[in-house]
Amino acid sequence: MAVVFLGLGSNIDKEHHILSGLRALADSFNYQQRSRIFLSEAVGFKGSDFYNLVVEVTTFQPVETVLAHCKRIEQENGRKPDSAKYSPRSLDIDVLLYDDMVREKAPQLPRHEITENAFVLWPLAEIAENRQHPILKKTYGAMWHQYCQQPEQQNLTPLENTDWLKEFA
């Protein structure tokens, strides 16, 4: 059984789409846990703030099938397949890690945003602190600690009130 970490984000009707995405993921995979929800500024474009989190699931499905499920869930939540990379999102689901698989073709693993974006690394470090990056051979907890030392880190705030997510506590 593969351990898979998925990054979720939304900046359109955020609570609705994050909750809908979590429910669909729990229907498709063996839901394990989630990070807190983080509020972050849009990166790469001017737009509303995002809600971001990381979810751990397990599955016997191959990575290509996992990716296809994630794309279907995005589309069921209003995401257009041809939408611009840096644009508002009803729901974005990225396969961040699939066990310790390393690959360049889609889905690229481990996802490069892990090392580039606080809204990916902090929630991942929160639920996989002692897990090692398969290329860098550093734990995500250590990577987050190092990232925090950078002067130009992205503005990221954990949400205080997430009662609307109590079924995924």
Side-chain angles (χ1 to χ4, degrees), residues 119-133:
F119 63 82
V120 177
L121 183 55
W122 190 0
L124 179 61
E126 190 173 85
I127 63 172
E129 180 179 14
N130 296 315
R131 190 175 186 91
Q132 249 187 14
H133 189 284

Side-chain angles (χ1 to χ4, degrees), residues 66-85:
V66 172
L67 179 61
H69 276 302
C70 293
K71 296 304 162 201
R72 178 185 49 78
I73 293 167
E74 288 177 346
Q75 290 173 14
E76 288 171 354
N77 280 275
R79 173 93 182 262
K80 304 281 188 260
D82 57 348
S83 61
K85 180 175 180 173

Side-chain angles (χ1 to χ4, degrees), residues 28-101:
S28 299
F29 309 109
N30 299 311
Y31 173 84
Q32 300 297 309
Q33 63 176 330
R34 69 166 175 85
S35 69
R36 290 179 292 175
I37 304 268
F38 292 85
L39 182 68
S40 66
E41 297 171 342
V43 174
F45 69 98
K46 296 271 189 230
S48 301
D49 290 346
F50 275 80
Y51 281 0
N52 293 100
L53 71 151
V54 171
V55 175
E56 178 186 356
V57 299
T58 58
T59 185
F60 286 109
Q61 299 173 17
V63 67
E64 293 82 7
T65 304
V66 172
L67 179 61
H69 276 302
C70 293
K71 296 304 162 201
R72 178 185 49 78
I73 293 167
E74 288 177 346
Q75 290 173 14
E76 288 171 354
N77 280 275
R79 173 93 182 262
K80 304 281 188 260
D82 57 348
S83 61
K85 180 175 180 173
Y86 296 111
S87 63
R89 299 271 193 257
S90 55
L91 185 63
D92 186 36
I93 306 174
D94 294 321
V95 179
L96 304 174
L97 298 166
Y98 183 96
D99 279 337
D100 289 328
M101 185 180 287

Side-chain angles (χ1 to χ4, degrees), residues 22 31-35 162-169:
L22 284 170
Y31 173 84
Q32 300 297 309
Q33 63 176 330
R34 69 166 175 85
S35 69
T162 56
D163 291 343
W164 52 277
L165 280 175
K166 58 186 162 210
E167 69 189 91
F168 294 99

